[in-house]
Amino acid sequence: MERNKASVVFTVFRITFLILAIVGLAFLFPIVSAVVHGETKVLPAFVIPMLVSFVLGGIFFFAGKGKRAVLSTRASFVVVALAWASVSLFGALPMWFSRAIPSFTDAFFESASGFSTTGATILSEIEQIPYTYSINLWRCTTHWLGGMGIVALTVALLPILGVGGFQLIKAETTGPEKGKLTAKITDTAKWLWFMYLGFTVLEFVLLKVAGMSLYDALCHALATLGTGGFSTRNASIGGYNSVAVDVIITVFMFLAGINFSLYYSLIKRNFTDIKDNSELKAYIGICFTAMILITLFEMGKYGGFFQSLRYSSFQTMSITSTTGFATDDFTTWSTASQVIILMLFFIGGSAGSTSGGVKVIRWVVLYKIAKNEILRMLHPHGVFTLRLNKQPVKKDLGYTVVSFFFVYLCLIFITTFVGCLGKMDVFTSFTGALSMIGNIGPGFGMLGPACNYGWLPIGVKWWYSFIMLTGRLEFYTMIIFFTPSFWKK
């Protein structure tokens, strides 16, 4: 029994340190950027943590080579939660060591915001931070790594770990339904990352053609596909004042908010799966309805339909996909438009996408449950089945969605209360809670698109860091540790 416990503990730490080694490998991007742009003084801040991660990862990899370990559901939750907390800490080190962000609390907040793809920043002068090229590239890289999932990346790259990957990916991926695209979970992870990389390269090329520098195009492609929101400009995407850039990023935010399994269906020519997908239909309907309404409401501000469409569509997709980029401050829009934006805070993108939020599929399920209840009241003896994608689904799915919303509301109220303790007004605190839990980035009031999170008290920053990671892992993976039953044998 003791030997089995020791084996599980060893496996947990082995996977965690291997994940850190893979993240350490990503330090090569800012290292190359530092050399190219003459920021050589920042190199030790990246090189030293990278080498330490390689050494520790190598030790644990070879120490467990050839051993097969079976992780329980409980151990899988520990691995995923520990991995995300560890990479957030690890990712903060270059920013803190280089003094680009002198406060460790701020560095950790920035890193957690990056990996969770929230995009909330404590920086007020992004273009003037020390070692701006290497640090900003690293900030955007954290989005890209966190978007598809660091555990999914590890499963894709290291199938020789000797651990079943499906349980790990279930604890990391988003949405009420978890499944495989292929027979092997490692092949599923590889396909997802292949498609993710393909979209990133395509956007990078288009942004370069649209006039961005190679560096800016790379940073914003990484941040867009990860639905993060970190930018190299103080004014975010609005700093480029380019119609072409706005359109390209709007389109890719929309694409990043779609379930990536549908792209796999497209590659395999399974068009029926796409045509019948209930969530995709709802996602498209929500996005375009919000775009058109805001466009009409803001025509007076922008002086015409197409100019209004440019800004409304960008902000609609930025909030719906939970990317958080900005081309204008939506808190200056009409009250009607602000209400629509606030409603989008509650929705998010699709399950299986890189976006955060509640996810469209859960709202679809709630709608269908409510519809069936109305029909049951009208026809007491009728039999009404919950159906998605034109197929009946288990009744348990409804219970899963309802319980998710209960936890979601509880966390919103708690986080709003914490914000109020930090001297925020109720509305700012409430929208800040929605933003942190939904991994959106901006809020309203003192946390709007034109503001930052640097002024918050230390305690609020640490709570927000925790809640951003909790939101990214859809609550249960993190809060399960606070339940007594988890610690019982």
Side-chain angles (χ1 to χ4, degrees):
M1 187 70 173
E2 292 299 325
R3 181 178 297 179
N4 184 55
K5 283 185 178 180
S7 175
V8 171
V9 171
F10 173 80
T11 302
V12 168
F13 280 101
R14 182 171 183 248
I15 297 173
T16 301
F17 280 111
L18 286 171
I19 289 173
L20 290 180
I22 290 174
V23 174
L25 188 64
F27 280 180
L28 290 174
F29 289 107
I31 287 173
V32 171
S33 178
V35 172
V36 170
H37 294 100
E39 297 176 342
T40 52
K41 289 184 179 180
V42 79
L43 290 177
F46 287 101
V47 173
I48 293 174
M50 180 180 71
L51 293 179
V52 171
S53 73
F54 286 172
V55 171
L56 292 174
I59 291 172
F60 275 88
F61 176 75
F62 288 107
K65 192 173 182 181
K67 297 179 181 178
R68 177 78 185 178
V70 178
L71 287 180
S72 64
T73 301
R74 184 181 306 187
S76 299
F77 282 121
V78 173
V79 168
V80 173
L82 182 60
W84 279 82
S86 298
V87 297
S88 296
L89 174 63
F90 185 64
L93 296 180
M95 294 184 276
W96 186 46
F97 287 163
S98 66
R99 314 311 289 172
I101 301 180
S103 164
F104 178 74
T105 295
D106 287 350
F108 185 87
F109 179 96
E110 198 78 6
S111 180
S113 178
F115 281 108
S116 66
T117 72
T118 304
T121 182
I122 53 87
L123 299 171
S124 57
E125 294 295 332
I126 297 170
E127 297 172 50
Q128 281 76 46
I129 61 172
Y131 315 113
T132 179
Y133 287 103
S134 52
I135 295 298
N136 276 324
L137 178 56
W138 173 239
R139 292 170 68 240
C140 294
T141 302
T142 61
H143 280 333
W144 196 76
L145 292 172
M148 189 56 68
I150 52 174
V151 174
L153 177 60
T154 304
V155 171
L157 294 179
L158 297 175
I160 53 177
L161 274 175
V163 177
F166 185 55
Q167 198 68 37
L168 294 175
I169 290 183
K170 278 179 66 179
E172 181 184 58
T173 52
T174 60
E177 296 181 291
K178 315 289 175 72
K180 303 177 184 179
L181 301 181
T182 60
K184 293 183 178 180
I185 191 62
T186 53
D187 292 337
T188 295
K190 287 176 182 176
W191 266 108
L192 290 172
W193 274 92
F194 173 76
M195 293 183 288
Y196 189 47
L197 177 61
F199 276 124
T200 306
V201 172
L202 178 59
E203 185 186 3
F204 165 72
V205 172
L206 292 175
L207 288 176
K208 180 65 182 73
V209 172
M212 277 191 175
S213 66
L214 281 171
Y215 171 80
D216 282 357
L218 175 60
C219 287
H220 289 94
L222 294 172
T224 302
L225 265 299
T227 59
F230 283 155
S231 176
T232 59
R233 298 288 182 93
N234 292 333
S236 189
I237 307 303
Y240 295 94
N241 194 27
S242 167
V243 175
V245 168
D246 288 359
V247 170
I248 291 167
I249 292 180
T250 299
V251 169
F252 278 93
M253 286 191 294
F254 174 79
L255 295 175
I258 294 175
N259 191 328
F260 271 69
S261 67
L262 294 180
Y263 297 126
Y264 182 80
S265 297
L266 184 63
I267 293 172
K268 295 297 182 180
R269 304 177 67 84
N270 296 329
F271 300 120
T272 302
D273 291 347
I274 301 172
K275 179 174 67 70
D276 293 341
N277 190 270
S278 304
E279 184 180 38
L280 179 62
K281 294 175 184 177
Y283 174 72
I284 293 173
I286 290 168
C287 292
F288 281 89
T289 300
M291 285 180 194
I292 296 302
L293 288 176
I294 296 175
T295 296
L296 295 176
F297 291 144
E298 301 306 315
M299 282 178 59
K301 175 182 173 69
Y302 294 112
F305 179 83
F306 290 105
Q307 186 75 346
S308 181
L309 179 63
R310 169 189 171 185
Y311 288 97
S312 66
S313 59
F314 187 97
Q315 290 307 139
T316 294
M317 287 320 310
S318 180
I319 299 301
T320 305
S321 68
T322 71
T323 305
F325 282 142
T327 52
D328 200 358
D329 185 353
F330 57 73
T331 63
T332 64
W333 287 355
S334 65
T335 304
S337 296
Q338 290 187 53
V339 169
I340 294 173
I341 291 293
L342 182 60
M343 291 171 64
L344 296 178
F345 271 59
F346 287 92
I347 298 174
S350 304
S353 68
T354 60
S355 62
V358 170
K359 302 293 186 300
V360 173
I361 187 64
R362 291 191 174 94
W363 288 107
V364 172
V365 171
L366 280 186
Y367 165 76
K368 289 180 176 291
I369 290 174
K371 180 181 177 182
N372 282 351
E373 285 302 310
I374 292 173
L375 291 174
R376 191 171 288 110
M377 292 174 66
L378 295 173
H379 309 283
H381 302 293
V383 178
F384 305 99
T385 306
L386 183 63
R387 303 176 71 87
L388 289 175
N389 309 330
K390 296 186 177 180
Q391 299 294 326
V393 295
K394 295 179 180 178
K395 187 180 292 186
D396 289 350
L397 179 62
Y399 298 139
T400 300
V401 170
V402 170
S403 66
F404 175 91
F405 273 97
F406 173 76
V407 177
Y408 175 68
L409 291 175
C410 288
L411 288 176
I412 287 175
F413 292 138
I414 293 170
T415 305
T416 299
F417 180 70
V418 171
C420 290
L421 292 178
K423 307 302 182 183
M424 280 186 271
D425 63 86
V426 173
F427 187 62
T428 297
S429 184
F430 175 67
T431 57
L434 290 174
S435 182
M436 294 296 98
I437 294 170
N439 304 131
I440 298 168
F444 281 76
M446 296 183 287
L447 299 177
C451 306
N452 64 76
Y453 288 72
W455 60 273
L456 293 175
I458 291 177
V460 175
K461 288 177 182 175
W462 279 107
W463 176 258
Y464 274 8
S465 298
F466 168 75
I467 215 68
M468 283 188 287
L469 295 176
T470 301
R472 170 58 182 83
L473 298 175
E474 297 210 323
F475 314 154
Y476 294 109
T477 300
M478 297 295 282
I479 67 175
I480 197 171
F481 296 103
F482 299 95
T483 60
S485 57
F486 179 83
W487 302 102
K488 293 179 181 178
K489 293 183 179 180

